[in-house]
Amino acid sequence: MRLLTCFAFALLGSASVAAAELPIFDAHVHYSHDAWENLPPKMAIELLRKAGIKRALVSSSNDEGNQKLIAEAPDLILSSLRPYRSRGEISSWVRDESVVRYLEERLAKYRYVALGEYHLYGADADLPVPRRMIELARRNNLVLHSHSDADAIEREFKQWPAARILWAHSGFDSPARIREMLRKYPTLWCDLAFRTDHAPGGQLDSDWRALFTEFPDRFMVGTDTFTPERWPYIVEHAAFSRQWLAQLPSPIAERIAWRNGETLFNIPQAAH
């Protein structure tokens, strides 16, 4: 009930946006079992639309959340398959052989554009289960949405040099390290989910401005609804994103806001 109250406030509050404002491709949304139990699919989609979200890359634990949102709004939702069947598998999945069978079954049944978001660090990327997951992504031409340190990203590219990797939260790393990684890997993209250091108080940081200017085609915004309570924040986060994006030249702002996401996932521009 508390979540539904927050949801209603988000829909009615001043952070609501007009359709004419900058569209947002939200590259980091979750709709897991505890979310859909409290926030019905129809209300979740209404919240995304109210925020001016034109596309959302969604993953869930388990995958039923994705399927619920796609059924409600196939024009809005892009589906990413997590290796988690419940929240408790975030750290255990890398050594759980049954994860591979689960991924194979879901990939045979439904259509996805990515695998992830998954948590993977350091040498764990070379374990058999993550290796087989990356091979499944290669066979199915899927983006890897990797919540990882730079070491794991390096290992993933070593396994699959042509991989397209979306680095969740930009690795929670520094602009200098992110720059180093983007220069080294031309098929690495970064989402800015659950970060505010690039625009503290809504004011664009100079180091990040330089990074966005050097790599205007490699960043995306994201809310990260990792708990149900984060869902009403989608509207506020979209408004925050527009605030700092407005401080960039319009072509760069548009790329980060939505064009990069549509390019990465091969969405025809005629869709707008």
Side-chain angles (χ1 to χ4, degrees):
M1 180 62 68
R2 181 172 177 270
L3 180 59
L4 292 178
T5 301
C6 291
F7 167 79
F9 179 81
L11 285 181
L12 296 172
S14 59
S16 298
V17 299
E21 293 187 359
L22 189 65
I24 296 290
F25 183 116
D26 196 312
H28 199 132
V29 177
H30 302 298
Y31 189 61
S32 297
H33 53 84
D34 49 358
W36 77 66
E37 289 167 359
N38 291 279
L39 186 66
K42 188 176 292 294
M43 295 180 75
I45 294 299
E46 187 178 353
L47 184 55
L48 289 168
R49 295 198 191 281
K50 194 72 174 181
I53 307 299
K54 302 305 182 186
R55 302 277 181 183
L57 181 67
V58 180
S59 62
S60 60
S61 308
N62 56 42
D63 189 56
E64 291 305 316
N66 276 4
Q67 307 314 321
K68 291 175 187 291
L69 289 190
I70 290 171
E72 189 66 38
D75 63 309
L76 178 62
I77 304 302
L78 296 176
S79 183
S80 185
L81 176 60
R82 300 192 93 177
Y84 311 152
R85 291 148 294 190
S86 67
R87 289 189 184 281
E89 296 181 332
I90 285 178
S91 59
S92 64
W93 77 274
V94 296
R95 292 176 173 81
D96 185 347
E97 289 287 333
S98 69
V99 164
V100 178
R101 292 192 299 275
Y102 170 72
L103 293 175
E104 290 172 337
E105 290 168 0
R106 302 303 287 190
L107 288 168
K109 188 173 182 180
Y110 298 107
R111 182 179 179 276
Y112 303 91
V113 299
L115 286 181
E117 176 214 19
Y118 54 83
H119 297 68
L120 187 62
Y121 303 100
D124 282 355
D126 291 328
L127 291 171
V129 172
R131 280 185 171 276
R132 290 170 69 184
M133 179 195 69
I134 292 169
E135 175 59 22
L136 285 172
R138 187 191 66 78
R139 273 192 257 154
N140 290 275
N141 192 30
L142 301 176
V143 172
L144 294 167
H145 194 187
S146 188
H147 182 136
S148 306
D149 54 10
D151 184 12
I153 296 293
E154 301 255 17
R155 292 169 187 267
E156 289 176 275
F157 274 119
K158 187 174 182 180
Q159 292 177 43
W160 183 15
R164 292 171 297 150
I165 299 179
L166 177 57
W167 197 7
H169 316 287
S170 303
F172 286 119
D173 223 322
S174 68
R177 182 61 167 139
I178 296 166
R179 175 179 287 106
E180 178 185 340
M181 293 291 285
L182 290 174
R183 286 176 176 174
K184 186 173 183 179
Y185 298 107
T187 56
L188 177 65
W189 285 260
C190 296
D191 80 40
L192 298 166
F194 210 71
R195 297 191 70 145
T196 57
D197 55 314
H198 58 289
Q203 297 303 305
L204 189 60
D205 175 80
S206 59
D207 289 339
W208 281 92
R209 181 191 295 274
L211 193 57
F212 296 147
T213 301
E214 182 176 353
F215 299 100
D217 56 345
R218 307 281 284 282
F219 287 94
M220 284 168 258
V221 299
T223 305
D224 192 6
T225 52
F226 64 93
T227 65
E229 292 76 17
R230 290 277 298 174
W231 264 87
Y233 184 65
I234 281 177
V235 176
E236 182 181 343
H237 182 267
F240 163 74
S241 297
R242 291 184 180 94
Q243 180 182 357
W244 65 263
L245 285 167
Q247 299 162 48
L248 290 167
S250 293
I252 297 177
E254 285 189 0
R255 283 179 176 272
I256 296 173
W258 62 273
R259 290 188 185 275
N260 291 341
E262 300 218 331
T263 298
L264 175 58
F265 294 103
N266 300 312
I267 298 171
Q269 294 302 302
H272 280 273

